[in-house]
């Protein structure tokens, strides 16, 4: 058993090596473990409970907008993917192929889905005949495989979990409305449930999804100053509809090609939670997605041992219907060791119950976000616990928002731009002329990419490009990214 004081030393401080800190935390907090296949991970129960809460909260929003859940095959005939040349080019380096099955070589190779446009479009072509069949609003929760060379748990793995929405519409305007609506759903979810502030915007032509007409994204800033694409929404136009013959008879009995969208968010949201809110003691979980919102730790001594345990069990039962609460009455572990473990796992609120607390008729509450200790009378717990959890949720968001504000820089000077990216990181708002050559040159010199062309107005108006010093472009978000 680890000494209490040594517990946190097993985690590398963020300031020493942020990447190692991240790996230490995901293992120490028992979110995942490495699988025998390189680039794959086993998601442990504590980590998967976070994903289940994401599914429930995001899934509820998706269903509320009229979408229905469905499921499509893992395997895609290679010929289907090859029908869409841009799609194949975009995913070719990451595609995994099945060449044998049942001990025999397959007549046609099968692609393990990197995303599902091809297989879903082939089904939509069968299901859609008339304008009465539209809009078709489908969502799928599944796994996908992209054979990544450089992997990191939750952020980039060869196999990962996600949801992918696929919709079909009669007009371009309806498809664009859907694309932006779902971008708004992602923003609402990530900010209000994960307590992560994001910026919304459109991707450049270079950065957009292969085969899409327009791609929009939500971008978050991690506490090491790197950006993370937390969700994307694509207006696919009629590209896939023409390839896969998704047509419908309109009200005038004229055959028309449909308009489509797709959008998705994945388990990289768990990576975002870790990197935005975590500290040198481990995770700090927003209460709304925390697997355990309140942990009760009895301070057991010989004096009043049974009374303390009885009160702890009674309190656990009392709140089990309204909160995700857990009682840690394990024997053989000191209270200090338990405190450290639950802090590592980021449980928002810890309630300590000892003989003195029994005498005083309450419990000692300890906030994970601030470390503040608050004595709560037992009679006020029903009222105070939900309020404290809401304060923690809001506090984590406000802290992350302030960090983003402090690390969002404006510049019109390329030398200063390079210095900020190299030494301060964070978001940099700078003018861009719109030329791909300048976008590529900036990436080559600084490793920063254009994260998005913001949908919301940002200070600075139009001005000459940060790279070529020509043209009149608006300010866009640059950053180094995961």
């Amino acid at each position: 058993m680890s000494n209490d004081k040594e517990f946190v030393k097993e985690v590398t401080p963020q300031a020493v090596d942020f990447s190692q800190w991240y790996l230490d935390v995901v293992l120490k907090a028992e979110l995942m473990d490495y699988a025998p296949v390189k680039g794959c991970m086993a998601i442990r129960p504590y980590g998967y409970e976070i994903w289940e809460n994401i599914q429930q909260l995001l899934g509820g929003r998706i269903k509320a907008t009229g979408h229905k859940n469905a499921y499509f095959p893992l395997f895609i005939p290679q010929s289907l993917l090859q029908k869409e040349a841009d799609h194949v080019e975009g995913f070719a380096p990451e595609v995994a192929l099945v060449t044998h099955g049942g001990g025999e070589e397959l007549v046609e190779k099968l692609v393990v889905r990197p995303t599902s446009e091809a297989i879903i479009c082939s089904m939509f072509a069968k299901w859609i005949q008339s304008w009465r069949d539209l809009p078709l609003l489908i969502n799928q929760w599944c796994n996908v495989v992209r054979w990544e060379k450089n992997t990191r748990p939750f952020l980039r793995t060869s196999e990962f979990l996600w949801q992918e929405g696929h919709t079909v519409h009669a007009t371009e305007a309806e498809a664009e409305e859907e694309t932006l609506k779902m971008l708004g759903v992602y923003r609402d979810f990530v900010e209000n449930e994960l307590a992560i502030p994001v910026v919304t915007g459109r991707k450049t032509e270079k950065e957009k999804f292969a085969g899409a007409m327009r791609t929009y994204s939500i971008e978050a800033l991690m506490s090491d100053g790197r950006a993370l694409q937390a969700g994307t929404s694509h207006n696919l136009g009629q590209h896939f509809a023409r390839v896969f013959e998704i047509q419908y008879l309109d009200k005038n009995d004229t055959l028309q090609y449909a308009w489509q969208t797709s959008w998705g968010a994945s388990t990289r949201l768990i990576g975002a939670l870790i990197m935005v809110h975590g500290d040198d003691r481990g995770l700090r979980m927003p209460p709304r997605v925390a697997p355990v919102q309140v942990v009760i730790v009895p301070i057991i001594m010989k004096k009043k041992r049974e009374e303390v345990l009885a009160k702890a069990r009674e309190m656990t039962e009392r709140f089990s219907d309204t909160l995700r609460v857990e009682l840690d009455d394990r024997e053989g572990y000191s209270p200090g060791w338990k405190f450290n473990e639950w802090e590592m796992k980021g449980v928002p609120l810890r309630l300590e119950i000892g003989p003195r607390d029994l005498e005083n008729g309450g419990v000692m509450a300890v906030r994970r976000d601030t470390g503040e200790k608050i004595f709560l009378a037992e009679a006020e717990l029903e009222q105070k616990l939900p309020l404290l959890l809401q304060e923690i949720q809001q506090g984590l968001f406000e802290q992350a928002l302030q960090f983003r504000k402090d690390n969002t820089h404006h510049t019109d000077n390329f030398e200063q731009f390079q210095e900020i990216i190299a030494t301060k990181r964070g978001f940099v708002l700078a003018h861009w002329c719109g030329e791909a050559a300048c976008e590529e040159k900036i990436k080559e010199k600084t490793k920063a990419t254009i994260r998005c062309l913001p949908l919301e107005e940002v200070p600075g108006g139009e001005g000459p490009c940060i790279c070529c010093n020509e043209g009149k472009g608006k300010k866009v978000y640059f950053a180094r990214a995961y």
Side-chain angles (χ1 to χ4, degrees), residues 10 15 70 115 153 226 271 284 296 305 314 369 380 396 417 457 475:
E10 298 176 26
T115 182
R226 286 183 180 266
R284 293 192 305 166
I296 298 175
R305 170 189 170 85
E314 174 195 316
D369 61 329
E380 62 181 358
L396 288 173
F417 178 96
E457 202 66 37
K475 284 195 170 182

Side-chain angles (χ1 to χ4, degrees), residues 217-230:
S217 71
I218 54 172
E219 302 285 333
L221 191 64
M222 306 297 100
S223 59
D224 67 340
R226 286 183 180 266
L228 184 77
Q229 181 179 286

